[in-house]
Amino acid sequence: WTVRVQAEGFAVNQFDITVPEKGRADDLEVKMAVDRTAEQTKELQAVLSKGDELFKAGKYGEARAEYEKVLTARPDLLAIHRSIAYTYGREGNHAKALEHLDIALKEDPHNLEILRLAAASALEMAAPDRALAYVGEIQDSDLMDPDVLMNVSITMLQKNFNPAAITVLDRVISRFPTAPLPYYLRGMARVRTKDEAGAKEDLQKFIDIAPPDSPQIEQAKKILGGLK
């Protein structure tokens, strides 16, 4: 027989016994250990909250120390790596940030926010191919508008990673073909990569579908007029 003894506040105790065919079984002495799971969860939640408050106050190193206490107590909580990554990212240590974001992605490989942050850190490290790999893991179903990928492409353009920006904007335009700004951005990237035919096509498309008061309209017309 398997006996399971359970009492509030104590860990479950389960064991096997042999019951004789005749007579009564020997008395059993069951020792119960106090279950500290609920207590530990409450303690760790307090530590996590302290870390969050320190982070909000801009005390990133101190916040990280609190998050690492949680990680030491519960190394199975991969999500805490995201909080640690935030602190490194705010300090500009993008290599360490990516180290922890990669661990967090093991638990949630298509998490939009983690992938966005990872791509941003990769770009800060001048690693556009790595950024593209993160972007490639973002699911189309999670993209409700073009902003997430478009913002990644803008960072790429700012850092002069023009081929990578074009790759991202190709996807944005495929997913959101009626959004005007991606055409302008891709047109600018194509100008930089000497693809004048593609640039003319994109800039004209932007002019055709953008609202007349779009701030990029005049710039687009000016650039378009200078292309052969």
Side-chain angles (χ1 to χ4, degrees):
W1 289 72
T2 298
V3 176
R4 179 184 175 90
V5 182
Q6 187 171 346
E8 185 176 353
F10 293 88
V12 174
N13 196 338
Q14 182 171 304
F15 51 90
D16 296 328
I17 64 170
T18 300
V19 179
E21 294 182 5
K22 296 181 179 180
R24 61 187 297 276
D26 296 335
D27 293 337
L28 295 175
E29 180 181 350
V30 180
K31 295 182 179 180
M32 303 291 287
V34 175
D35 185 3
R36 293 195 69 250
T37 302
E39 181 182 350
Q40 184 191 47
T41 299
K42 186 176 180 180
E43 291 172 354
L44 292 179
Q45 186 59 52
V47 175
L48 186 60
S49 296
K50 182 180 178 181
D52 290 344
E53 290 301 316
L54 288 167
F55 183 87
K56 291 175 185 177
K59 299 178 180 179
Y60 305 122
E62 294 177 45
R64 183 165 58 250
E66 298 303 313
Y67 296 143
E68 287 173 344
K69 290 178 185 177
V70 177
L71 183 60
T72 298
R74 290 289 306 276
D76 58 307
L77 296 179
L78 298 186
I80 196 64
H81 287 278
R82 174 161 60 171
S83 297
I84 295 173
Y86 285 156
T87 67
Y88 280 120
R90 290 296 180 88
E91 291 175 339
N93 190 340
H94 295 286
K96 290 296 291 184
L98 279 177
E99 180 181 316
H100 287 276
L101 289 172
D102 283 341
I103 295 173
L105 284 169
K106 291 179 181 179
E107 182 177 60
D108 195 359
H110 301 297
N111 184 289
L112 177 61
E113 179 63 11
I114 299 176
L115 289 167
R116 184 189 68 79
L117 289 170
S121 284
L123 290 175
E124 290 301 321
M125 295 175 63
D129 289 344
R130 188 172 181 181
L132 285 174
Y134 290 121
V135 169
E137 294 299 322
I138 295 175
Q139 304 293 289
D140 278 350
S141 58
D142 290 333
L143 298 171
M144 300 297 104
D145 56 53
D147 290 353
V148 171
L149 294 186
M150 194 165 62
N151 288 337
V152 172
S153 74
I154 289 172
T155 301
M156 289 174 168
L157 286 169
Q158 290 171 340
K159 295 183 176 297
N160 212 30
F161 300 139
N162 300 301
I166 291 171
T167 298
V168 174
L169 289 164
D170 286 346
R171 182 178 175 188
V172 176
I173 289 169
S174 176
R175 180 81 170 85
F176 303 98
T178 61
L181 190 55
Y183 291 98
Y184 173 79
L185 295 172
R186 191 172 68 177
M188 297 296 289
R190 284 176 162 172
V191 168
R192 294 180 182 180
T193 57
K194 310 301 182 183
D195 178 7
E196 292 196 358
K200 288 173 69 174
E201 182 180 343
D202 279 339
L203 293 172
Q204 188 60 59
K205 178 70 173 181
F206 169 72
I207 292 168
D208 290 343
I209 68 174
D213 60 348
S214 294
Q216 298 88 2
I217 284 282
E218 291 305 317
Q219 179 73 358
K221 290 179 178 179
K222 181 179 179 180
I223 295 172
L224 189 58
L227 295 175
K228 297 177 182 180

